Structures are given as C-alpha cells and as structure tokens.
Amino acid sequence: MVKIRLKRMGAKKAPFYRVVVADSRTPRDGKVLAEIGTYDPTKKPSEIRIDTDAAKDWISKGAQPTDTVRALLKKSGV
C-alpha cells in the first residue's frame, strides 16, 4: 500500500518535515517514491508548501494520506 506521509529532517529539537509518497512497509526516513512538499512547524505560523497537483494525482492513484498529512492537505486546500 502506498502512503502519503511525513519524513523527518532537520536537527535534534529542530524538526523539519518533507511530505513524501512511500510504500507503507519502508522505514520513516527510508526510500521514497516522490517528494511532494515540505512542512516546517518551528516557524510561527507553521509553513506548509505542498504541490497540490502532485498530491491530487497520487490520491487518485490510490495513495492514502496519514492523519497528520490529511490535516496539512486540508489546510493547504487540496
């Protein structure tokens, strides 16, 4: 199953995330199929940049977003 989820980047106590499309069996920071955006919760307000066309395309192909990513997609208007 293909999932749209977050991949953690950044330093200790300074998280930065990439919104990625990956197989559900791969590790959190493992190999990904595509990177479709970024999420930076350390900035106020938090910065969300998602390629809406790519997100819609992957969802139409059957990719399931995680709960956190689903909330981010709603905020960004997908």
Side-chain angles (χ1 to χ4, degrees):
M1 175 189 277
V2 177
K3 293 228 176 221
I4 301 174
R5 61 187 187 191
L6 295 175
K7 177 178 181 176
R8 191 182 196 283
M9 309 292 284
K12 182 177 179 181
K13 304 225 181 208
F16 177 82
Y17 299 93
R18 290 189 180 155
V19 181
V20 298
V21 180
D23 189 291
S24 61
R25 296 169 290 188
T26 60
R28 178 192 70 183
D29 298 338
K31 191 175 108 176
V32 299
L33 300 173
E35 290 182 8
I36 60 171
T38 59
Y39 170 54
D40 190 353
T42 59
K43 294 186 177 170
K44 298 293 178 200
S46 58
E47 187 176 290
I48 303 166
R49 277 189 261 127
I50 296 178
D51 182 352
T52 56
D53 294 333
K56 288 177 184 175
D57 185 43
W58 278 104
I59 290 171
S60 71
K61 291 178 184 176
Q64 296 292 318
T66 60
D67 294 339
T68 307
V69 173
R70 185 174 286 120
L72 293 176
L73 291 172
K74 280 185 182 177
K75 283 184 182 178
S76 65
V78 175

